[in-house]
Amino acid sequence: MTDANDVTDGGDAGATEADGLLEVVVRRRTPVADDVVALELARIDGAPLPPFTAGSHVDLHLGPGLVRQYSLCGDPADLSTYRLGILRTVDSKGGSLRVHSRVRPGQFLLMSRPKNNFAVDSSAPRSVLFAGGIGITPLLAMARQLAADGAAFEVHHRARDRGRFAFADELAALAGADRVSWYADDDPETSAAFDAEAIVRAAGAGAHVYVCGPRGFMDHVEEAARRAGLPEEAVHEENFTNEVDHSGTPFTVVAARSGVQARVESGRTIADTLREHGVAVRTTCETGVCGTCLTRVIEGTPDHRDVFQSPARQRTNRDITLCCSRSRTPVLVVDV
């Protein structure tokens, strides 16, 4: 039960479904590991939620200006609710702290429709899923899909201690215990057994790797995959954090469709600069994570500082995230 002050606490003032957001209510809140809760969200009108695929995430509006991305870890066949797994972090900037301290069943929130930048390919000869801590959330949905498709896969979940293996029983039930390995950092035996390169090599030719978790964990797995000979296009990641450096040489941005030209100073973003000149630029995360502000580049070379695009996609220089990236050329022309 929530009091009247909490019922609409998660919404952005003035934002509605007309803005592309869904109005949802928290149906259930369940502890699933140490410092991890699962939220089940349903539409307030009882209608089915939009379809989603394994690897999808949503933007959850937790308060004015407080928007966070969370993976969907429920069953895509059940659209009565969406399920999210949310870790309380010690260095929270407001999102996880708000969820753990204030979000309760009965509370109304605003949420985006699902987006998927981390889709799994069931046709691969074998899929290897690496999770670091709460990174298990999108991989749980992937394991469910791969199992349903009869695909070959395995899951490797590493966490600080055994109390942090969220959804462990559910994962073992849907994947089969023989396809899941757990590694606790405080357990010398299982910690020493984690060898990402050996795991990838054993998966064989044509395998695909999916990894989600802290940045250091993902870098470790991706480097191991490269050493094992996997091509870049066979390694997939999901990242919801990015420390952005806005400094750099000033440059001119030209908004082609708006007919606006402006100077972007060091420490300023393209998005904010264009807004000051009357150009509407929609952003959500402000850190190059969600892709809301991804815009086509017409001329010039971006200085990519996002984690939304893969390195291969960044090298094409076809698009730029206006909330955090800059320009390597004196003039950058964008399609806005």
Side-chain angles (χ1 to χ4, degrees):
M1 188 76 177
T2 57
D3 62 39
N5 290 329
D6 282 338
V7 168
T8 57
D9 186 59
D12 281 349
T16 67
E17 293 207 9
D19 300 303
L21 299 176
L22 301 172
E23 296 177 312
V24 296
V25 61
V26 180
R27 290 291 185 212
R28 186 175 291 109
R29 169 192 161 117
T30 310
V32 292
D34 292 348
D35 292 326
V36 180
V37 296
L39 298 184
E40 292 184 26
L41 310 175
R43 287 186 63 146
I44 61 173
D45 59 6
L49 288 156
F52 72 95
T53 54
S56 296
H57 73 272
V58 294
D59 302 333
L60 195 61
H61 292 241
L62 296 165
L66 187 60
V67 183
R68 295 293 183 267
Q69 291 73 42
Y70 298 109
S71 296
L72 297 177
C73 58
D75 186 351
D78 180 6
L79 298 180
S80 62
T81 60
Y82 285 167
R83 186 170 55 157
L84 316 175
I86 302 174
L87 169 71
R88 177 170 186 159
T89 57
V90 295
D91 58 348
S92 171
K93 296 179 180 178
S96 74
L97 180 61
R98 176 66 63 93
V99 169
H100 280 258
S101 64
R102 301 191 63 174
V103 174
R104 297 292 185 269
Q107 185 168 343
F108 298 156
L109 297 170
L110 291 173
M111 178 184 72
S112 73
R113 293 174 181 274
K115 311 169 188 179
N116 198 339
N117 313 310
F118 192 42
V120 64
D121 181 3
S122 295
S123 67
R126 190 169 192 83
S127 296
V128 186
L129 315 182
F130 287 98
I134 195 60
I136 193 61
T137 51
L139 302 186
L140 178 64
M142 286 187 181
R144 188 186 307 277
Q145 178 177 323
L146 291 165
D149 293 343
F153 73 97
E154 58 194 81
V155 184
H156 299 269
H157 190 183
R158 185 165 190 171
R160 189 186 311 168
D161 54 63
R162 291 186 176 277
R164 294 178 181 272
F165 289 125
F167 307 109
D169 291 342
E170 181 178 345
L171 179 60
L174 70 88
D178 60 324
R179 290 197 283 200
V180 186
S181 299
W182 290 274
Y183 312 85
D185 289 348
D186 67 347
D187 179 346
E189 183 177 351
T190 60
S191 180
F194 183 78
D195 186 336
E197 182 177 350
I199 291 168
V200 175
R201 289 187 183 279
H208 276 235
V209 164
Y210 300 85
V211 58
C212 186
R215 183 70 260 173
F217 175 80
M218 293 199 297
D219 288 344
H220 173 78
V221 171
E222 290 170 14
E223 176 58 30
R226 282 190 287 270
R227 292 197 304 268
L230 251 62
E232 188 175 86
E233 59 270 18
V235 181
H236 316 271
E237 71 167 41
E238 181 78 299
N239 191 5
F240 290 146
T241 60
N242 186 32
E243 296 296 328
V244 181
D245 176 8
H246 295 296
S247 65
T249 303
F251 60 94
T252 297
V253 62
V254 178
R257 281 191 284 121
S258 303
V260 169
Q261 176 176 308
R263 181 179 170 87
V264 182
E265 301 290 350
S266 179
R268 301 300 312 282
T269 69
I270 298 174
D272 285 344
T273 301
L274 288 177
R275 287 188 188 117
E276 289 175 355
H277 288 76
V279 181
V281 179
R282 184 180 177 189
T283 59
T284 298
C285 70
E286 301 284 352
T287 59
V289 167
C290 71
T292 297
C293 64
L294 193 70
T295 301
R296 186 171 67 91
V297 174
I298 297 174
E299 183 181 325
T301 303
D303 178 1
H304 297 289
R305 302 188 182 186
D306 66 289
V307 293
F308 173 78
Q309 301 182 88
S310 68
R313 183 173 177 180
Q314 287 180 342
R315 285 195 292 270
T316 68
N317 290 324
R318 289 194 300 260
D319 303 289
I320 184 172
T321 48
L322 301 181
C323 71
C324 65
S325 297
R326 297 184 63 81
S327 180
R328 297 185 182 279
T329 50
V331 177
L332 185 74
V333 183
V334 295
D335 185 22
V336 66

